[in-house]
Structure formats: C-alpha cells, structure tokens
Amino acid sequence: RTLRDRVGLWHAKTDVKMLHRRVAEAAASAPNDDSDADSVSSKRRDDDEQPAPPPDDATADAPHPSILLLLLGLGVVTRFYGLGWPREVVFDEVHFGKFVSGYVKSEYFFDIHPPLGKLLMSIPAWWSGYDGSFPFLKIGDAYPPSLDLFSLRALPAAFGAVLVPLMYALALEAGCSPPSALVVASMILFDGATFVESRLILTDSILFFFELLQLWAMLKARAAVAAALHAPAATAAAAGLPLLPTTTSSRADDGAP
C-alpha cells in the first residue's frame, strides 16, 4: 500500500475508536429507564399504602363544658331577667297569644303555621294555671294582674338562652377556632332582634333553635362518617398491611405477563 492509503486507514480506525468511546460514555450517563420505572412504581405503591389524613371535619375542636355553661348562664340571665315587663301585648303577641289560648282551651281553630312552637308554649302556660281567657285583642292591651305572664313567655326565653351555647358549638363544628366561636356566640347573645324576640310570646327563638340544631347535627354526622371511613385505613397502615392491591402497571413493570 502507498503511504497515503496507510495514513487514511489509520485515521478511519481512530475515528471508529472515538465513536465507540463516545457511545459508551453516552450509554453510561443516560438514565436507566427500567430502574426509573421500578422506582416510580415502588413510590406509587408506597403512596397508596400511606393512609390519607383525616378530614378537617373529624378533627374539629370539641366545645369545652365550662364555656358552654358560661354561655348558657349568660343567655339565661339576659333572656329571663325582667321577663314580665312590659305587662302589655307587644307586637305579634296579639296573634300568637290567641293561638296559645286556643290550644290551652282545646278549642278548634285554623292555625296558619306549623303548630309545634305554639303547642310547646301552651304547656308551661297550662301548667301554671292559665285558662286561655285573655282575648289578645290589640297591641298595647294591658295584661291583668292575675295573669302569670312569666309562664307565657318562659319557653321562648328558654330556647333563646340555649341558642347562645348552641351557636358556639355549631361554629366549632363548622371549623372555627375557639376564639372565633366565642365571637359568633357573642353575636347571638347581644343581638337586639334575637334578644327581644326571645322575651315575647313568639316562636322565632324556637324556630332558630331547631334550625341551628339541624345544622349542628348534620356537621356532626358528616364528621362521624369521615372518621369511620378513615379508621380502617389508619389501622391497616399501623399494622403494615397494604391498603390497595398491586396495580396492573406495576406488575407490568416487574416483568409479569
């Protein structure tokens, strides 16, 4: 061979060696797809086996009994103090007083509302000896001295007093912090409209009570269901048991058919 051919052959061999070396370096530095797939599948299985944290509803702050008693006491004082004043028909007492008198006398009449609130108000009125004789003709009529006005207004006042701690418990169940729940309960305690309507022969405080009680019970039931669903997962995780079976994709990554 000529010198030119030998030099060209040497350059070709050198180029091939350099190409092989670069391919080897690239293969060594490239990520291993199989190992990455295995690690992803393993991480996915680990994530599946980790129990989900309990919902916020299941970790709501429980109302402290002393705070509930304090709020109830404040509600009783503000609703019952001076309950017999004024001794005259006020606002819608002219209507609801007639309904209560009708239930006390067991006479037939058409009640335009659901009767539960007025039936409840008639119980302490009947128990105190009220015979249903007061006519409730117009606003401003004076009550006779013989009429026990306290017994007629007692039940709305009682429901109005219970509204305060119930609102505190409802705010806690809804996710409020204890200081925020106290603010919410204070709004009910010092609200002028709620205060006045709880001290008259009206059904508003009774209606508010059952509405808030329904919301509180709904939130408690939802939290109980969430806690019941989370408990088996937490127990299985504590025992080291897998929560979910191996997925099809993970079996394929392991080489299973």
Side-chain angles (χ1 to χ4, degrees):
R1 296 179 181 179
T2 63
L3 180 61
R4 180 178 299 178
D5 294 337
R6 291 181 181 180
V7 171
L9 182 60
W10 180 82
H11 280 294
K13 291 181 178 179
T14 303
D15 293 339
V16 171
K17 289 180 180 180
M18 292 180 63
L19 180 61
H20 287 173
R21 186 171 59 186
R22 290 178 180 177
V23 171
E25 291 176 354
S29 60
N32 192 336
D33 294 337
D34 295 336
S35 61
D36 286 348
D38 293 340
S39 63
V40 170
S41 300
S42 176
K43 184 177 183 302
R44 186 181 303 162
R45 288 194 298 269
D46 294 340
D47 293 340
D48 292 340
E49 293 176 1
Q50 292 296 326
D56 295 337
D57 295 337
T59 58
D61 293 323
H64 199 279
S66 61
I67 298 180
L68 291 177
L69 290 176
L70 174 62
L71 293 174
L72 179 61
L74 292 174
V76 169
V77 170
T78 54
R79 270 57 179 176
F80 279 91
Y81 178 77
L83 190 60
W85 182 87
R87 287 197 63 84
E88 62 183 37
V89 179
V90 181
F91 188 48
D92 275 357
E93 285 186 335
V94 70
H95 302 298
F96 290 96
K98 292 176 183 177
F99 294 142
V100 172
S101 297
Y103 284 120
V104 169
K105 293 186 293 185
S106 300
E107 67 180 13
Y108 177 81
F109 65 95
F110 177 71
D111 194 342
I112 61 174
H113 305 117
L116 177 60
K118 284 156 283 188
L119 283 170
L120 293 175
M121 286 191 293
S122 66
I123 294 175
W126 171 80
W127 186 265
S128 68
Y130 176 64
D131 58 1
S133 59
F134 188 75
F136 291 95
L137 293 178
K138 65 180 184 296
I139 297 174
D141 284 350
Y143 291 112
S146 60
L147 189 146
D148 186 3
L149 186 56
F150 183 90
S151 64
L152 287 171
R153 293 175 174 173
L155 198 79
F159 276 94
V162 177
L163 278 179
V164 183
L166 178 59
M167 195 67 215
Y168 174 75
L170 174 60
L172 286 180
E173 201 63 38
C176 294
S177 64
S180 300
L182 278 176
V183 173
V184 174
S186 300
M187 291 179 180
I188 295 296
L189 178 64
F190 298 111
D191 178 65
T194 308
F195 172 78
V196 172
E197 290 173 348
S198 300
R199 294 170 54 86
L200 301 175
I201 309 174
L202 304 174
T203 58
D204 298 80
S205 62
I206 303 173
L207 174 65
F208 295 155
F209 171 80
F210 284 110
E211 286 177 341
L212 296 181
L213 183 64
Q214 176 189 5
L215 292 175
W216 176 83
M218 180 188 70
L219 293 177
K220 289 291 290 185
R222 188 174 69 174
V225 170
L229 294 177
H230 179 262
T235 304
L241 300 176
L243 301 182
L244 295 174
T246 304
T247 60
T248 304
S249 60
S250 63
R251 289 198 302 269
D253 292 338
D254 294 337

